Amino acid sequence: MDLRTRIQDATKDAMRAKDQLRLSTLRLIGAAIKDREIAIRGEPGQAALAEDDIVALLSRMVKQRQESARAYEEGGRLELAERETQEIAIIQEFLPRQLDQAEVAAVIDRVIAELGATGVRDMGRVMGALRERHAGQMDFGAAGALVKSRLMG
């Protein structure tokens, strides 16, 4: 079952269960997908979002909520931070499994070896390969720092 169908089915289930938090989060996801599709409609060759585009969109939504939760916690608004955390959990249900730190390090080492990367000049190629193969499975900000340290050392 494709990601879009899973999200639509989950929305219907949340409606039936009268789960307001889940329903509102799933509706936000649906609206974000539709907004993005409207934005790309004018681009040649683009009709609908591909699966990996939806994964990237969901990853951005998670990142936004993580930043918001941090800001709420710093501001002493714990109830709002908790809601953001709950929304993150709902969104992550539709993302691929996140790699742990050891797996990320192993993947980076493998990609560097496959590409024969030897220095920081190769960082763009390595990051491109990682994004292509593991979209939605790792934090690319943290991965970038690790790639850079591997290529420099």
Side-chain angles (χ1 to χ4, degrees):
M1 183 181 325
D2 76 330
L3 192 52
R4 184 185 314 266
T5 305
R6 285 180 42 216
I7 292 168
Q8 290 169 344
D9 290 348
T11 304
K12 291 174 193 170
D13 292 342
M15 269 190 246
R16 286 186 201 106
K18 297 184 179 11
D19 184 342
Q20 291 305 314
L21 174 67
R22 187 170 177 76
L23 180 60
S24 68
T25 303
L26 292 167
R27 283 182 171 162
L28 281 172
I29 293 170
I33 291 170
K34 284 182 181 160
D35 285 348
R36 186 70 191 117
E37 286 180 335
I38 289 169
I40 65 169
R41 232 181 245 158
E43 297 175 18
Q46 292 287 342
L49 287 178
E51 194 91 1
D52 55 344
D53 294 327
I54 295 174
V55 168
L57 179 77
L58 293 176
S59 295
R60 280 193 302 275
M61 291 178 78
V62 166
K63 193 168 191 167
Q64 289 168 343
R65 277 156 186 76
Q66 288 169 336
E67 291 168 3
S68 295
R70 253 191 310 278
Y72 287 140
E73 284 174 8
E74 290 169 6
R77 303 291 308 268
L78 299 181
E79 70 284 351
L80 294 174
E82 178 60 28
R83 181 176 172 101
E84 295 291 330
T85 304
Q86 291 169 341
E87 287 183 5
I88 289 169
I90 293 167
I91 296 167
Q92 285 178 330
E93 291 174 25
F94 300 98
L95 288 171
R97 183 185 71 79
Q98 294 292 301
L99 300 176
D100 64 33
Q101 288 181 327
E103 290 171 319
V104 170
V107 165
I108 288 171
D109 290 340
R110 186 169 57 243
V111 169
I112 288 172
E114 286 174 11
L115 297 177
T118 56
V120 179
R121 277 179 297 181
D122 298 318
M123 187 163 170
R125 287 186 324 145
V126 172
M127 290 303 293
L130 287 172
R131 286 186 203 288
E132 183 179 305
R133 298 177 194 178
H134 300 284
Q137 292 183 301
M138 66 175 77
D139 174 4
F140 288 103
L146 190 56
V147 168
K148 189 173 183 177
S149 72
R150 291 281 205 282
L151 292 174
M152 289 176 78

